[in-house]
Amino acid sequence: MSLHSSGATMAIALAVVKTLVLLVGGTITFFAYKAYRRTEQRALGLLAAGFGLVTLGFVLAGVLYELLDISLYLGILFESLLMLAGFLVIAYSLYVS
């Protein structure tokens, strides 16, 4: 396998995994939000927001790099900051419940 085809294979694999994470994370966020709307419990609303931030953060680096021509390092920084914020919101949602 040549270096070029290996890189292309890895790019495709990464795109597939990121897409699956977006679908699964979006589904979890949707169901958490749906539970929040049904129960009106603040903790569930925070949980939905936290999962939304984590999911958005996970896919953000590639989107920024590919579509907006932002450096990969800056995209990864934004991704990490959103994921950190999402995990903090999730942790807080578990604390207040």
Side-chain angles (χ1 to χ4, degrees):
M1 181 179 285
S2 72
L3 182 61
H4 177 69
S5 65
S6 175
T9 302
M10 288 302 293
I12 291 169
L14 184 60
V16 167
V17 170
K18 291 276 189 175
T19 301
L20 291 172
V21 168
L22 179 61
L23 291 173
V24 173
T27 301
I28 292 169
T29 302
F30 171 75
F31 284 124
Y33 179 73
K34 192 173 169 182
Y36 163 71
R37 294 287 301 208
R38 187 178 60 249
T39 64
E40 296 184 9
Q41 290 183 2
R42 183 170 177 253
L44 286 174
L46 289 168
L47 187 67
F51 274 115
L53 286 170
V54 169
T55 303
L56 177 63
F58 191 77
V59 298
L60 188 63
V63 170
L64 291 175
Y65 177 73
E66 292 293 333
L67 299 180
L68 300 178
D69 200 30
I70 290 177
S71 79
L72 187 58
Y73 293 114
L74 189 57
I76 291 171
L77 176 62
F78 286 142
E79 171 187 64
S80 299
L81 288 171
L82 276 175
M83 290 180 71
L84 173 63
F87 284 129
L88 287 170
V89 172
I90 290 169
Y92 182 71
S93 77
L94 297 172
Y95 175 76
V96 299
S97 60

